Amino acid sequence: MIQTPLYKRFAASLDKLLVDEGMHATTQAVMHGLTVALSGGVDSVVLLHLCRHYVQAHTHLALQAIYVDHGLSPNSAQWRAFCQAQCDALTVDFTPASVTVVAQNRQSLEAQARTARYQALDEHAYPHHALVLGQHADDQVETFLLRLKRGSGLKGLGAMHARTALPSGRVCLRPLLTSQRADIEAFAQTFGISHIEDESNLSDRFDRNFLRNQVLPLLKSRFSGFVPSVMRSVELLQGQQALLDEITQADLAYCLNENSLCIERLGEFSLLRQQNLVRAWLAEQDVQMPSHKQLEQILEQALNARADAQMAVTLPQGQVRRFRGALYWVIEQPKWRESHDIGQTAVVLDDTHVLQVQQGKGVRLPAPDEHISVRFNCLSEKIKPLGRSGRNTLKHWLKDYGVPTWERSRVPLIYYNDELVQVVGFFVNEAYASSQGLNWKLEDARNKKDR
């Protein structure tokens, strides 16, 4: 078995993927073993056998297999038993998992099942194991054609990568991407490897099945070497995307200031690079990509509106706002409630924010007839900050301190009766300042950063 061309291609691919894994420090280290996604189909069962021989030659690696029951077929219990028997025969750790796939609007059943499957695989795989998936060259061509049908761009047409990472950091490896379905089926036949047939694969109502059953056979019979040719195109597209990613990261580094995007520097680029840069910046915020029209609005308002104009381009998850020459991604936050007679105790504002009070430099202690309260959004209140000249509105001072307009309503304001004595995180009222008094701080439990 290990002398076959299929195993040699598989082993060479997996060798390279595992060596390359040492270059990706942000993902879980692949040190302990491999976890095969086992459906019982020919691709995954052959993959199981290949991995079993691979770990025999690499004794530091353990091997696990996971079967995920989507609850969509009446035969799933039989398939689970089949996968269990395969693993028992090969002395491979077997883990069954079940998921519930609920039909949702605007998302195909295939996509929902895929999302649930990856979550289950990630949850049940052993720590520091890579997920090993059975997608092959024909699957890659199907993915390419599906994305071509949707009008995908460069990144989408690059289809599946041999190595990806889940949101948790767990790495996924696809060592069969360079092998065709016919090679895998021939391997199974040669070595008498049994497998199950999923009846849903015969239904052409699913786009991928239609391509697999009707379109690809025609293309392969008409055009010699069709699959390898598409694979070469995909490889070129992935390489071009990698180059574009390098340029994009350089552009981001040039324009980024913490989480904001410098408009002046953005304006130095061509329109195509501006569009690419804004998309990349939003992607880093985990934002759903804007439409072409929304992207035009963002760039038009950012680059051509008056410097003091209020900009707000609304997307489904939030807004792109502008302040002092920079673009910000803003997610609407719930309003905090006022609290009265808080004394000198901590005030819980929400699940992550707590207003704490400490003794020391700040405002003087309250008189017996002064009640302490915390309020918000009193922007017309007038105050004279310690060490600053003149008395002006809170709106004026917050603008002077560089607080963006959308953050001003969430700045905690400490009152003694009806007198504003501290703007938390910024300044105290000069008339109430004291070196031996009270000082309020806003604590964020998510990053332990005080303000």
Side-chain angles (χ1 to χ4, degrees):
M1 187 177 285
I2 62 174
Q3 298 302 321
T4 61
L6 180 66
Y7 179 81
K8 290 180 179 179
R9 282 198 305 272
F10 160 83
S13 176
L14 194 52
D15 284 343
K16 183 178 185 303
L17 289 169
L18 292 177
V19 168
D20 289 348
E21 188 54 29
M23 301 170 58
H24 299 277
T26 59
T27 60
Q28 296 182 9
V30 181
M31 295 184 297
H32 296 170
L34 308 173
T35 295
V36 175
L38 183 63
S39 68
V42 63
D43 308 330
S44 68
V45 177
V46 166
L47 177 66
L48 180 68
H49 282 261
L50 295 173
C51 286
R52 179 72 179 96
H53 283 278
Y54 188 86
V55 299
Q56 285 179 331
H58 301 78
T59 55
H60 65 287
L61 294 174
L63 185 60
Q64 175 198 18
I66 299 176
Y67 169 76
V68 179
D69 181 358
H70 301 86
L72 299 176
S73 173
N75 299 316
S76 57
Q78 297 176 25
W79 297 343
R80 170 179 166 174
F82 171 82
C83 291
Q84 173 82 69
Q86 290 287 313
C87 291
D88 290 346
L90 296 173
T91 321
V92 174
D93 289 358
F94 176 73
T95 304
S98 298
V99 297
T100 300
V101 181
V102 180
Q104 299 177 8
N105 293 331
R106 304 185 69 178
Q107 190 178 28
S108 71
L109 191 64
E110 294 170 285
Q112 295 167 52
R114 181 171 57 250
T115 299
R117 179 168 62 254
Y118 277 103
Q119 289 175 346
L121 290 169
D122 189 19
E123 179 181 344
H124 291 88
Y126 293 155
H128 302 297
H129 270 223
L131 288 176
V132 188
L133 308 173
Q135 286 106 340
H136 46 69
D138 292 66
D139 294 324
Q140 184 77 303
V141 174
E142 292 163 11
T143 300
F144 173 83
L145 293 174
L146 284 170
R147 295 184 179 178
L148 184 66
K149 184 260 303 183
R150 296 172 191 152
S152 297
L154 179 61
K155 187 171 185 178
L157 293 176
M160 294 181 287
H161 288 253
R163 178 200 174 279
T164 54
L166 299 178
S168 67
R170 189 183 298 278
V171 66
C172 299
L173 305 178
R174 298 175 177 85
L176 290 176
L177 272 185
T178 56
S179 301
Q180 295 189 47
R181 178 182 289 113
D183 298 329
I184 295 170
E185 292 174 346
F187 183 93
Q189 185 174 6
T190 298
F191 293 99
I193 297 174
S194 58
H195 56 87
I196 61 110
E197 293 288 351
D198 185 344
E199 71 279 355
S200 69
N201 289 335
L202 301 176
S203 173
D204 288 346
R205 70 187 183 93
F206 297 115
D207 289 344
R208 184 176 288 275
N209 287 353
F210 174 73
L211 289 173
R212 179 179 304 158
N213 300 329
Q214 304 296 332
V215 178
L216 265 184
L218 282 175
L219 290 172
K220 288 195 286 187
S221 65
R222 174 72 178 183
F223 304 109
S224 177
F226 178 76
V227 171
S229 295
V230 174
M231 292 296 291
R232 283 196 296 273
S233 294
V234 168
E235 185 178 0
L236 290 171
L237 291 167
Q238 290 181 355
Q240 290 166 1
Q241 181 63 51
L243 175 60
L244 178 60
D245 288 343
E246 288 187 19
I247 296 171
T248 300
Q249 288 305 310
D251 289 352
L252 276 173
Y254 180 66
C255 293
L256 271 182
N257 180 18
E258 293 185 354
N259 291 326
S260 65
L261 206 59
C262 176
I263 293 174
E264 182 179 359
R265 292 192 170 189
L266 176 66
E268 297 174 12
F269 295 122
S270 67
L271 176 59
L272 286 176
R273 284 178 75 172
Q274 290 171 359
Q275 293 172 337
N276 180 63
L277 186 53
V278 170
R279 288 194 192 98
W281 171 63
L282 290 175
E284 289 200 344
Q285 321 294 323
D286 293 324
V287 178
Q288 181 181 338
M289 284 299 97
S291 66
H292 184 72
K293 184 176 181 179
Q294 289 169 328
L295 191 58
E296 284 184 338
Q297 290 178 336
I298 292 170
L299 290 172
E300 172 65 25
Q301 294 188 37
L303 299 172
N304 299 325
R306 298 192 325 271
D308 60 347
Q310 295 292 323
M311 168 188 170
V313 177
T314 301
L315 302 177
Q317 298 159 278
Q319 290 183 322
V320 177
R321 303 287 298 267
R322 184 173 104 172
F323 181 72
R324 290 192 172 180
L327 293 180
Y328 293 81
W329 172 247
V330 180
I331 299 174
E332 185 177 0
Q333 302 294 330
K335 294 181 179 180
W336 286 332
R337 294 182 179 179
E338 295 184 355
S339 298
H340 299 277
D341 290 325
I342 62 174
Q344 298 180 33
T345 60
V347 179
V348 177
L349 300 177
D350 58 26
D351 292 341
T352 57
H353 295 87
V354 178
L355 195 60
Q356 299 278 13
V357 61
Q358 301 173 345
Q359 294 186 347
K361 186 176 181 180
V363 298
R364 65 164 174 78
L365 295 171
D369 62 343
E370 291 178 323
H371 300 281
I372 306 175
S373 62
V374 56
R375 305 178 191 178
F376 299 92
N377 206 27
C378 305
L379 299 180
S380 61
E381 192 79 67
K382 289 194 173 182
I383 185 173
K384 183 180 186 301
L386 177 65
R388 304 296 294 268
S389 60
R391 180 181 173 88
N392 215 317
T393 63
L394 178 59
K395 178 181 178 180
H396 167 86
W397 292 120
L398 291 179
K399 181 179 179 181
D400 190 58
Y401 276 82
V403 182
T405 53
W406 56 90
E407 293 183 1
R408 295 172 191 173
S409 64
R410 284 170 61 88
V411 176
L413 310 174
I414 303 299
Y415 279 77
Y416 285 3
N417 291 339
D418 289 323
E419 190 68 33
L420 176 59
V421 299
Q422 182 182 354
V423 179
V424 177
F426 297 99
F427 56 83
V428 300
N429 189 327
E430 186 173 74
Y432 288 75
S434 172
S435 60
Q436 299 295 324
L438 302 175
N439 183 34
W440 278 264
K441 288 187 176 182
L442 182 62
E443 293 187 352
D444 187 340
R446 293 170 298 183
N447 54 22
K448 302 296 183 182
K449 182 178 180 180
D450 297 343
R451 192 178 73 185

